[in-house]
Amino acid sequence: MPSMALLRAAAAVLSTVEYAEGAFGLSTDGWIAVFTAVLTAATIGLGLFTYLLWRATLTAMKDASAGIAAAARSATIADEALAHAREVAAEDTKRSRRTERAYVFGGVGDVAVSENRVNLELQIVVHNVGRTPAVLREIHWGLVVGELPDAPPYASNTSSFRTEAALSAGQSGPQLAIRLPFEPDTPFTLFGFVNYVDVFDESHISKFCIDIRIGENGRPQAQTSGNEAWNSWD
């Protein structure tokens, strides 16, 4: 059985509807139509608001994406500029080192025949034509009789002289004395390389190749010989 409260509520609703019908001349179906129209308008308004909110959100997302893309481009440009600056700085450092470092070259100093004409005596001389000192590490040398091969045969019939001698900028001096059997009718080539370290603690190799023969006056003569493979340097 319905409670008294429910019965009173139902009676109140009926009384309200009857009053509205009398006051506004609307039947129950009319009020339902009004409520339906109001609900439809509210739904349309809510849909329009949702659409506008979606458009605003989409615009904000596009603007944010554009901002992120612009920031990414700016970051890329900054990275490229930094990389370029580093390359320029590295190149400047290399250029400065190339200008200030030592440059050591090997060659032949005095060449003489012994008094008894049994031996040929010569000296390997090194020259530092650079601006800063160098420390010699090794003088490697060998002999070739006859025509030179395409490349220096450093691995065979050669000798190595190790040293820790310092060579100041502009300094030259004999470093290694060599005595060979004197054979006036047999010209030969003295070849080798100088290994040294500059003030920037970088190692370098300078090759040399000297043709030695006895001239018409009976005295030894020396001159540079060979191609780039025999005389290259770094």
Side-chain angles (χ1 to χ4, degrees):
M1 293 295 290
S3 64
M4 290 301 295
L6 292 176
L7 291 175
R8 291 193 185 96
V13 170
L14 290 174
S15 298
T16 303
V17 171
E18 289 175 354
Y19 172 78
E21 289 176 350
F24 298 100
L26 294 176
S27 64
T28 302
D29 291 338
W31 279 107
I32 292 174
V34 171
F35 290 151
T36 301
V38 172
L39 182 61
T40 300
T43 302
I44 293 173
L46 181 60
L48 180 60
F49 174 76
T50 303
Y51 170 74
L52 294 176
L53 180 61
W54 174 78
R55 286 292 302 272
T57 303
L58 182 62
T59 301
M61 291 178 62
K62 289 182 178 178
D63 292 342
S65 298
I68 293 173
R73 288 193 297 270
S74 298
T76 300
I77 293 173
D79 289 342
E80 291 175 351
L82 179 60
H84 178 69
R86 288 175 175 172
E87 290 177 359
V88 171
E91 186 60 33
D92 288 343
T93 299
K94 290 181 180 179
R95 188 180 300 111
S96 175
R97 289 187 175 187
R98 286 195 297 266
T99 302
E100 299 300 327
R101 54 162 278 203
Y103 288 90
V104 177
F105 296 94
V108 173
D110 296 333
V111 182
V113 179
S114 61
E115 293 183 0
N116 56 9
R117 301 188 69 80
V118 174
N119 295 315
L120 185 67
E121 299 173 347
L122 57 88
Q123 292 179 330
I124 295 179
V125 180
V126 292
H127 314 270
N128 180 5
V129 299
R131 294 187 176 183
T132 50
V135 176
L136 303 179
R137 294 295 188 220
E138 177 186 13
I139 299 176
H140 197 91
W141 65 276
L143 300 175
V144 172
V145 177
E147 186 177 355
L148 293 178
D150 294 334
Y154 293 125
S156 60
N157 298 323
T158 57
S159 300
S160 179
F161 172 69
R162 298 188 179 278
T163 179
E164 294 290 334
L167 199 65
S168 301
Q171 181 181 357
S172 301
Q175 293 294 329
L176 182 61
I178 300 174
R179 176 174 292 183
L180 304 171
F182 176 59
E183 298 177 3
D185 297 329
T186 307
F188 64 92
T189 300
L190 172 72
F191 70 96
F193 62 81
V194 179
N195 184 1
Y196 64 97
V197 178
D198 62 22
V199 293
F200 303 106
D201 201 29
E202 293 182 351
S203 180
H204 304 278
I205 287 180
S206 176
K207 300 178 182 179
F208 59 88
C209 182
I210 309 295
D211 181 67
I212 299 175
R213 62 184 64 243
I214 304 301
E216 294 180 355
N217 58 3
R219 296 180 179 179
Q221 298 176 347
Q223 62 181 7
T224 302
S225 179
N227 55 28
E228 183 179 359
W230 296 75
N231 294 281
S232 62
W233 53 274
D234 71 300

